[in-house]
Amino acid sequence: MSDAASEIARLSTALAAQTARAQAAEAELAQARALASCTDAMIQELKLEIAKLRRDKYGISSERRTRLIDQLELQLEELEAAATEDALAAEQAADKASAVRAFTRRKPVRKPFPDHLPRERVVVEAPAACTCCGSDRIVKMGEDVTETLEVIPRQWKVIQTVREKFTCRACEKISQPPAPFHVIPRGWAGPQLIAMIAFDKYGQHQPLNRQSERIAREGVDLSLSTLADLIGHACVALTPIHALIARHVLDAGRLHGDDTTVPLLARGGAKTARLWTYVRDDRPWDGGAPPAALFHFSTDRRKEHPTRHLAEWHGVLQS
């Protein structure tokens, strides 16, 4: 009986030792994986920095370099996320295996939060007595402040504009304040909503169907045709501003012109469209006119487009 007990104890000790060795091996593997992920992320970050330095040195000479930088940024995003996951897994594995030193990852340097952001001060309630001896003779000697960046999700609301009617008992006439100004005549959408949809479409390249799906998840039903109708009204409302910008740009005697490729969704795949840009910037020649850029879009690169854009303009064109 004693031999069996000693054999069980020996097997238990051997099993415990084997388990410890397995945990140590698992922790070392996790550390090696985390080190490899961090190294890959660091290499990708250096490649991105080199590409940006070359662009700053030689200028944006082609769209290929810009697409390369965008691709490097996407790859860096994936590698940084994977490196963080592997580093956390290595820390958890090191906690289980006490004999293995925890892995410390070089974290990217975070810029301080902008000063223009409002600060909300949340004070943690301090104890009324000393936590060591229990005395109530405690005096504040300082404080530690930890800043956490937070965001308030956008909220939807309906603004009810009430125009009261009044009647005169002397002449029996009815008076009422005039209706408020709407960007869209008799429109139901506020200016901030229209601006958000237009910016997401043209500034963030978010198609209207994606926007409609996201807005529906937030509890508001706005169909694709409804959003497209808003975009059409917004384009008409902004036409005078575009005309003023065009007049200001084309009044210059010297313009910088260029065209860049833009992917255009079409049946059967994407087409290559063009975005024509004309820039007025007299600051290098001590000009007093403010700089401005004029954009035109076309589905191809035929010469008739810049000919039409500059039909009434005369001057020096730098391309």
Side-chain angles (χ1 to χ4, degrees):
M1 198 69 181
S2 59
D3 295 339
S6 60
E7 183 66 16
I8 293 175
R10 185 184 66 81
L11 291 176
S12 299
T13 303
L15 180 61
Q18 188 70 20
T19 303
R21 285 194 296 269
Q23 292 178 350
E26 182 181 355
E28 292 177 358
L29 178 61
Q31 288 188 4
R33 187 182 296 111
L35 180 60
S37 298
C38 294
T39 303
D40 292 340
M42 187 183 303
I43 293 174
Q44 191 68 22
E45 184 177 0
L46 293 176
K47 286 182 179 180
L48 179 60
E49 290 296 331
I50 292 173
K52 289 183 177 180
L53 289 175
R54 286 179 177 174
R55 182 189 62 180
D56 296 338
K57 181 178 180 181
Y58 300 108
I60 306 176
S61 58
S62 65
E63 289 80 11
R64 182 176 179 273
R65 184 172 295 136
T66 302
R67 290 196 298 267
L68 175 61
I69 292 178
D70 293 339
Q71 184 179 5
L72 290 175
E73 288 179 342
L74 289 176
Q75 293 177 357
L76 178 61
E77 173 186 341
E78 297 293 334
L79 290 175
E80 285 287 355
T84 300
E85 294 178 6
D86 292 338
L88 294 176
E91 292 178 1
Q92 295 176 357
D95 292 339
K96 295 180 181 179
S98 58
V100 178
R101 186 171 57 89
F103 173 78
T104 303
R105 180 197 170 200
R106 183 190 68 86
K107 297 183 178 180
V109 180
R110 181 186 60 79
K111 295 181 180 180
F113 299 136
D115 295 334
H116 64 82
L117 294 180
R119 261 64 176 179
E120 178 183 350
R121 186 176 173 89
V122 179
V123 180
V124 180
E125 185 178 357
C130 178
T131 57
C132 181
C133 65
S135 173
D136 58 354
R137 300 178 59 187
I138 56 176
V139 180
K140 179 180 178 179
M141 60 174 295
E143 62 183 18
D144 293 330
V145 180
T146 302
E147 289 191 341
T148 304
L149 185 64
E150 190 55 278
V151 61
I152 301 176
R154 64 184 184 186
Q155 299 176 351
W156 296 84
K157 64 179 180 180
V158 177
I159 300 178
Q160 295 180 338
T161 303
V162 180
R163 296 186 297 136
E164 296 178 332
K165 292 182 180 181
F166 294 90
T167 181
C168 178
R169 295 192 176 183
C171 63
E172 298 184 351
K173 295 291 185 181
I174 298 177
S175 60
Q176 187 181 28
F181 170 77
H182 285 279
V183 178
I184 300 175
R186 298 179 301 277
W188 54 268
Q192 296 185 22
L193 174 59
I194 300 173
M196 181 192 72
I197 295 173
F199 175 74
D200 286 346
K201 175 178 173 56
Y202 297 108
Q204 300 296 330
H205 306 287
Q206 288 292 324
L208 294 181
N209 60 332
R210 299 279 184 86
Q211 295 191 49
S212 177
E213 294 172 357
R214 179 178 179 182
I215 293 174
R217 287 194 293 268
E218 297 175 2
V220 181
D221 185 13
L222 295 179
S223 64
L224 172 62
S225 59
T226 300
L227 298 182
D229 182 66
L230 289 180
I231 291 295
H233 281 286
C235 292
V236 173
L238 294 175
T239 298
I241 299 179
H242 185 270
L244 288 176
I245 296 176
R247 188 183 311 164
H248 172 72
V249 171
L250 297 179
D251 283 344
R254 181 188 295 103
L255 290 181
H256 304 268
D258 196 7
D259 65 290
T260 184
T261 58
V262 178
L264 175 64
L265 294 179
R267 291 184 178 179
K271 293 173 129 183
T272 301
R274 292 285 168 172
L275 189 64
W276 305 84
T277 309
Y278 305 98
V279 178
R280 175 181 183 176
D281 190 359
D282 297 331
R283 291 175 298 180
W285 296 274
D286 295 331
L294 176 64
F295 297 93
H296 288 287
F297 174 81
S298 65
T299 57
D300 51 51
R301 204 191 183 191
R302 294 202 300 267
K303 66 178 182 179
E304 63 186 44
H305 302 299
T307 302
R308 185 180 68 256
H309 301 158
L310 304 176
E312 300 179 359
W313 177 80
H314 301 279
V316 178
L317 177 65
Q318 298 177 343
S319 179

